[in-house]
Amino acid sequence: MHQPVVVGDLSEREILARISARTGVADAAIVGPGDDAAVLSVAGSLVATTDTLVEGPDFRRAWSDGYSLGWKSAAVNLADVAAMGARPTALLVALAVPNDTPVEYVERIADGLREACDELAPGCAVVGGDLTQSSVLTVAVTALGSTDDRRTVLRSGARAGDTVALAGDLGVAARGLDVLFERFDGSAPRLDELTADDRRAVERQLRPVPPLALGIVAAEAGATSMMDVSDGLALDATRLATASGVTIDLARNALGGHPSTALRGGEDHALLATFTGPIPEGFRPIGRVLEAGETALLVDGSPYAGEAGWDPYRDWHAPDRAVGWSA
Amino acid sequence: MHQPVVVGDLSEREILARISARTGVADAAIVGPGDDAAVLSVAGSLVATTDTLVEGPDFRRAWSDGYSLGWKSAAVNLADVAAMGARPTALLVALAVPNDTPVEYVERIADGLREACDELAPGCAVVGGDLTQSSVLTVAVTALGSTDDRRTVLRSGARAGDTVALAGDLGVAARGLDVLFERFDGSAPRLDELTADDRRAVERQLRPVPPLALGIVAAEAGATSMMDVSDGLALDATRLATASGVTIDLARNALGGHPSTALRGGEDHALLATFTGPIPEGFRPIGRVLEAGETALLVDGSPYAGEAGWDPYRDWHAPDRAVGWSA
C-alpha cells in the first residue's frame, strides 16, 4: 500500500519550500518569503487582521480537505480586510501541524490559499509564513491590505436615517454545517447524495465566497459603516449598532426564505453596511437605522428575541453538538 | 480553596476586552483593536513576519509563566523585523488556548507582549488579535514594521572581503534550556538554586532580549547583509552565506568561552551582519566573508563539522530530549 510522505519525514525547510512553490507572488511584494521578513509596498494606510482556524472548533479534517482549509483560512481573513473598504494585498500564514499529517495535505492548504486569493482578491498572495509542530492542526492567517486613496469604513459610523444593506449570503454556511452534522458526522461528505441546495450550502460552509470586491464598492459609494458578518446577522448587526450608538431595525421579509437561520447563522462572511444615500449595486436593503432605543436590534420594530450568534467558548460544550464553530 | 476563573468561564468578547485593556496603544495605530481590522500608518515600506510558539516544542507551561510566554512571543518576532533594518510598529496576536487555562495566565501573556514592546521596540504594541479554543496552547504573532527612509538589509548582500559581525548573545539561551532540562524537568524553575550565570541563561531562554535597536544602527552603517540568529550561528551563518553566494569563515576565538555552544545554540536572537566598511558600535567582529568555496561555512579556515542548529521536525523525537525548540 502507498505510504504517504508525512510532515515528520521532512525538514521544516523542505516543507516550507514545497509550500512557497505553490503560493504565488503578491503584487505588493518587494521581498517575498525566505528572508527574516517580507517587505511590501503599501498604498495609503495599512489594514491588518488575524483569524485562526483550529481543528475541532473551526474545522474537521473529515469534512475539510487541505484545499478547502486553505481556501477558508484565506477567505475569512480577506473578508475582514474588505469590510474596512480596503484592498487585500498579502497573507502571512502560521501553520502548526501534527507530524503524521501527509505533506500533500499541507501542499493542498497552500493551493487553497493561493486560489482563494486569485479568485477573491487578485494580486494578493502569501508573502511569509511559519511552520511548527503541534498535535492540533492550526492555521493562523494574518491578512494585510492597502486603503489606497479611500477612507476606511468603520463599524461606528451608522447614523439614524441610514439604510441598512447587505451583500452576500445569509444562513447558507450555517445550513451547510447542519447538513454536515446531520448527514456526515465523522465521515467525508458525499456531495452527490445531496440536493443541489444542500450541496451548495455545504460547499459554502467549507469554502466561503465572501463578496470581497463589494467592500471597495461600498466605501466608494459612501458607506457610513460596514462590517463582515461572521457570527450571524443578529449578533453582528447588534455589534455595529452598539459601536455606532444607534438602533438597527431589520425587515424580516428582506432576509430570504429562512429568516431565523439568516439572523442566527454565522460564517457566510456577507458584508453588512449602512448608506445615507442610494445603496450601490450588489447590496440589497434589509432595514434602517434609528436613533438609539432601549435595544440595539429590532426586527420589524420589535426587540430581537432569538438566539444571537455563536460564541465558541460558551457553546463548545453544548449537549447537542460536540463541535462548534467560530469565525 | 480559590478557584481561578478559566477561559471557558468567559465569552470570547470578555477575554478579548481583558487582553486589549492591557496591551497598550501603538504609535502607528489609526484604528486599533475592536473593528474588523486595524488600520496603521506606514513610513516607507512595510516589513511583515510571523512566528508561532506552540506548547511542547516551543515552550512548557511549567517553565514559562504567561508573562514570559508573551514576552518571548513578541521578542522573537520583533527580532525578525529588526533584522531587516526596520522599525517594529505593531503586533497581531492569534491565541489558541485550552478552556481550562486561567484567565490570569492569558492576561499575563498580554502583559508580557506589552512590556517586551515597551522595552525592546518603544512605540510598537498589539493592534489586533484573535482568540480561539484549542487543546494546545498556541501563540501566533505577526510583527509589522516600517522601513522609514532606510533600505532593507537582506540575507543575500554579503560580499567577499566584508567583515562578519555579531550583536547579542551566543549560546546563552541554549545553555538556559539545558539547565531547565537538567535541573527542572517538569517542574517550575527555582532560580535561587542556580549560579548567577545559569540564572541569567534561564532568564534569557524564557525572555530573550535581542539587540533590536542595533538592526537600524546596522542598516544605517551600511550593513551589506543581516539576519536574526534564531537557529544557531552555524546554521544561520550557513544560510546567510548560501543566500549571498559566498563562504563565511568564523574565528573560533571570537565566539566566547564556549565556542561549540555558541555555534550550535539557538534562540538568542542575536543579529548577524556583514559590513564592507567599519562595523558600528554594539557589533563585534567574528569572521570574514570569502569568495564562495566548496562549503558555505568555515571555522578558522576549516569546514564546519559540528551539529548545525536545530530542526524541530527532525529532532522532535530525539531519544535524549522529549521536547525540542524552534525559533
Side-chain angles (χ1 to χ4, degrees):
Chain A
M1 193 180 133
H2 174 64
Q3 280 289 347
V5 178
V6 298
V7 164
D9 294 335
L10 301 180
S11 75
E12 182 182 356
R13 301 286 136 185
E14 289 169 310
I15 299 164
L16 287 175
R18 290 189 183 211
I19 292 173
S20 58
R22 289 167 176 262
T23 47
V25 177
D27 288 351
I30 301 167
V31 176
D35 215 296
D36 289 293
V39 184
L40 300 166
S41 59
V42 176
S45 297
L46 173 73
V47 169
T49 183
T50 187
D51 209 349
T52 304
L53 299 185
V54 176
E55 184 170 11
D58 298 317
F59 69 92
R60 288 181 171 196
R61 262 188 279 184
W63 296 337
S64 291
D65 55 16
Y67 180 85
S68 296
L69 177 57
W71 176 289
K72 187 166 183 169
S73 302
V76 301
N77 278 282
L78 295 170
D80 281 325
V81 172
M84 304 298 285
R87 174 176 55 88
T89 54
L91 302 180
L92 294 106
V93 181
L95 285 175
V97 295
N99 268 340
D100 62 0
T101 309
V103 171
E104 193 195 348
Y105 190 91
V106 176
E107 291 175 331
R108 293 295 288 158
I109 293 175
D111 291 342
L113 287 162
R114 187 192 69 245
E115 293 191 21
C117 288
D118 287 351
E119 277 205 31
L120 302 174
C124 180
V126 173
V127 297
D130 180 48
L131 183 68
T132 323
Q133 146 73 24
S134 175
S135 59
V136 178
L137 180 55
T138 303
V139 187
V141 171
T142 296
L144 306 175
S146 280
T147 62
D148 301 312
D149 53 0
R150 290 177 303 278
R151 67 198 174 79
T152 49
V153 185
L154 307 184
R155 299 179 178 186
S156 52
R159 294 295 169 256
D162 287 355
T163 301
V164 179
L166 189 111
D169 293 327
L170 279 182
V172 177
R175 177 175 167 182
L177 190 63
D178 285 342
V179 173
L180 288 169
F181 271 107
E182 286 160 14
R183 299 284 301 270
F184 308 113
D185 198 3
S187 65
R190 296 175 300 279
L191 296 182
D192 55 359
E193 296 178 3
L194 298 177
T195 65
D197 275 1
D198 282 354
R199 187 162 59 236
R200 178 170 177 276
V202 167
E203 288 170 347
R204 285 291 194 267
Q205 161 58 227
L206 299 178
R207 294 181 299 280
V209 186
L212 291 196
L214 291 173
I216 290 175
V217 168
E220 291 179 343
T224 51
S225 71
M226 184 156 54
M227 73 181 289
D228 165 48
V229 182
S230 54
D231 295 337
L233 177 61
L235 181 55
D236 285 332
T238 301
R239 289 177 179 150
L240 188 145
T242 304
S244 296
V246 298
T247 284
I248 282 179
D249 187 13
L250 298 174
R252 183 174 291 268
N253 69 6
L255 302 180
H258 303 280
S260 296
T261 306
L263 283 160
R264 185 191 56 80
E267 298 202 277
D268 287 309
H269 301 281
L271 286 171
L272 176 68
T274 56
F275 297 91
T276 303
I279 66 175
E281 199 170 334
F283 283 83
R284 56 191 189 272
I286 62 165
R288 59 203 178 115
V289 181
L290 309 177
E291 301 285 353
E294 283 195 12
T295 55
L297 183 65
L298 306 174
V299 177
D300 290 342
S302 300
Y304 175 67
E307 186 190 336
W310 185 265
D311 185 307
Y313 284 93
R314 272 196 306 260
D315 296 326
W316 181 260
H317 296 296
D320 59 334
R321 184 169 278 182
V323 175
W325 81 98
S326 76
Chain B
M1 195 181 135
H2 175 66
Q3 281 288 348
V5 178
V6 298
V7 165
D9 294 334
L10 300 181
S11 75
E12 182 181 356
R13 302 286 136 185
E14 289 169 312
I15 299 165
L16 287 175
R18 289 188 184 213
I19 292 173
S20 58
R22 288 167 177 261
T23 47
V25 177
D27 288 351
I30 300 167
V31 176
D35 216 297
D36 290 293
V39 184
L40 300 166
S41 59
V42 175
S45 298
L46 173 72
V47 169
T49 183
T50 188
D51 210 349
T52 304
L53 299 185
V54 176
E55 184 170 11
D58 298 316
F59 68 92
R60 290 182 170 195
R61 261 188 279 183
W63 296 337
S64 290
D65 54 17
Y67 180 86
S68 296
L69 177 57
W71 177 289
K72 186 166 183 169
S73 301
V76 302
N77 277 283
L78 295 169
D80 281 324
V81 172
M84 304 298 286
R87 174 176 55 89
T89 54
L91 303 180
L92 293 107
V93 182
L95 285 175
V97 295
N99 268 342
D100 62 1
T101 309
V103 171
E104 193 195 348
Y105 190 91
V106 176
E107 291 175 330
R108 293 295 289 159
I109 293 175
D111 291 341
L113 287 161
R114 186 192 71 244
E115 292 191 21
C117 287
D118 286 351
E119 277 205 30
L120 302 173
C124 180
V126 174
V127 296
D130 180 47
L131 182 68
T132 323
Q133 146 74 23
S134 175
S135 59
V136 178
L137 180 55
T138 304
V139 187
V141 172
T142 296
L144 306 174
S146 280
T147 62
D148 300 312
D149 52 358
R150 292 176 303 278
R151 65 196 176 80
T152 50
V153 185
L154 307 184
R155 299 180 178 186
S156 52
R159 294 293 169 258
D162 287 354
T163 302
V164 179
L166 189 110
D169 293 328
L170 279 182
V172 176
R175 178 174 167 184
L177 191 63
D178 285 341
V179 172
L180 287 169
F181 270 107
E182 286 161 14
R183 299 285 300 270
F184 308 113
D185 198 2
S187 64
R190 295 175 300 280
L191 296 181
D192 56 358
E193 296 179 4
L194 299 176
T195 66
D197 276 2
D198 282 355
R199 188 162 59 233
R200 179 172 176 276
V202 167
E203 288 169 347
R204 285 291 195 265
Q205 162 57 225
L206 299 178
R207 293 181 300 281
V209 185
L212 291 196
L214 292 173
I216 290 175
V217 168
E220 291 179 343
T224 52
S225 71
M226 182 156 55
M227 73 182 289
D228 166 48
V229 182
S230 54
D231 295 337
L233 177 61
L235 180 55
D236 284 332
T238 300
R239 288 176 180 151
L240 188 145
T242 303
S244 295
V246 299
T247 285
I248 282 179
D249 187 11
L250 298 175
R252 184 174 291 268
N253 68 6
L255 302 180
H258 304 280
S260 296
T261 306
L263 283 160
R264 184 190 58 79
E267 298 201 279
D268 286 310
H269 300 281
L271 286 171
L272 175 67
T274 55
F275 297 91
T276 303
I279 66 175
E281 198 170 334
F283 283 84
R284 56 191 188 272
I286 62 165
R288 61 204 176 115
V289 181
L290 310 177
E291 301 285 353
E294 285 195 10
T295 55
L297 183 64
L298 307 174
V299 177
D300 291 342
S302 300
Y304 175 68
E307 186 192 336
W310 183 264
D311 184 308
Y313 285 92
R314 271 195 307 259
D315 296 325
W316 180 261
H317 296 296
D320 59 335
R321 182 168 281 184
V323 174
W325 81 97
S326 76

